[in-house]
Amino acid sequence: MTLSEEARERLADVVALQPTKNAELQDRWDLESGSEVHQYLEDELKEYYYRDENSLICATEDAAALVGADDPEGERVLRVPPLQAAVIEVLAGPEDRSQSVVSVLHALRDAGHDPEVDDVRSALRSLSDKGIAERIQRTVPTFRLAMAREEFTVEELD
């Protein structure tokens, strides 16, 4: 299957953001609805994605190879949107006390960012889905990194 330039770029987004949700791709691709995302995936990228047990969108190994995302040295490289990269910077480490969404929001604002609380919540959930952050239920859901910062490299997506 030959992919157009747009389809190849969107496939690279799926590879970089996996596991991801329709809403995250909808924002990234500037589409009107999650239904449009689903339709695009089915029409253009059907061979290159699947949904995991939590219905999150994941790329196949062929997709990663096609867009050149295989890391020959085996180092974990995260390609994430700017807000998720900022969250990783301020989020408590694996040995630290976990932080609430509001705590992360304040840390981001102290670092010069000004996101909405819902965007921070979404970023934390996405990082948790990727296995980078862990969700710990206290009185409210809290988060911290699931691994040491030295164990991965973060690259911001455009």
Side-chain angles (χ1 to χ4, degrees):
M1 176 179 191
T2 304
L3 296 178
S4 68
E5 184 175 333
E6 176 188 60
R8 187 178 289 271
E9 288 173 6
R10 288 184 173 183
L11 183 59
D13 288 340
V14 171
V15 171
L17 296 171
Q18 70 177 317
T20 189
K21 300 175 182 175
N22 284 12
E24 195 168 30
L25 294 174
Q26 176 186 338
D27 290 343
R28 181 104 179 122
W29 297 346
D30 197 29
L31 297 177
E32 295 295 318
S33 69
S35 297
E36 280 188 65
V37 171
H38 176 75
Q39 194 62 52
Y40 188 88
L41 290 169
E42 283 297 302
D43 291 347
E44 302 294 328
L45 304 176
K46 188 172 188 155
E47 294 179 36
Y48 300 107
Y49 90 98
Y50 64 95
R51 293 196 182 258
D52 68 9
E53 64 276 358
N54 297 316
S55 294
L56 297 172
I57 300 163
C58 299
T60 64
E61 288 181 22
D62 289 344
L66 185 65
V67 298
D70 292 335
D71 183 18
E73 297 170 21
E75 179 181 333
R76 180 122 193 223
V77 176
L78 295 173
R79 292 173 184 89
V80 296
L83 179 57
Q84 289 181 25
V87 167
I88 290 170
E89 288 293 318
V90 302
L91 190 60
E95 301 300 320
D96 299 324
R97 183 171 169 85
S98 57
Q99 297 171 269
S100 69
V101 173
V102 172
S103 174
V104 174
L105 174 65
H106 288 299
L108 286 167
R109 288 186 174 158
D110 289 346
H113 304 279
D114 192 25
E116 297 293 323
V117 69
D118 288 338
D119 295 336
V120 173
R121 183 178 293 111
S122 177
L124 285 164
R125 286 182 182 150
S126 183
L127 291 170
S128 180
D129 290 342
K130 290 172 175 54
I132 298 306
E134 62 181 331
R135 183 178 186 261
I136 299 163
Q137 185 66 39
R138 295 197 323 226
T139 304
V140 296
T142 60
F143 298 84
R144 68 179 175 203
L145 292 176
M147 59 183 69
R149 284 183 174 83
E150 303 80 47
E151 294 181 35
F152 59 89
T153 302
V154 177
E155 293 179 3
E156 277 188 39
L157 294 169
D158 296 331

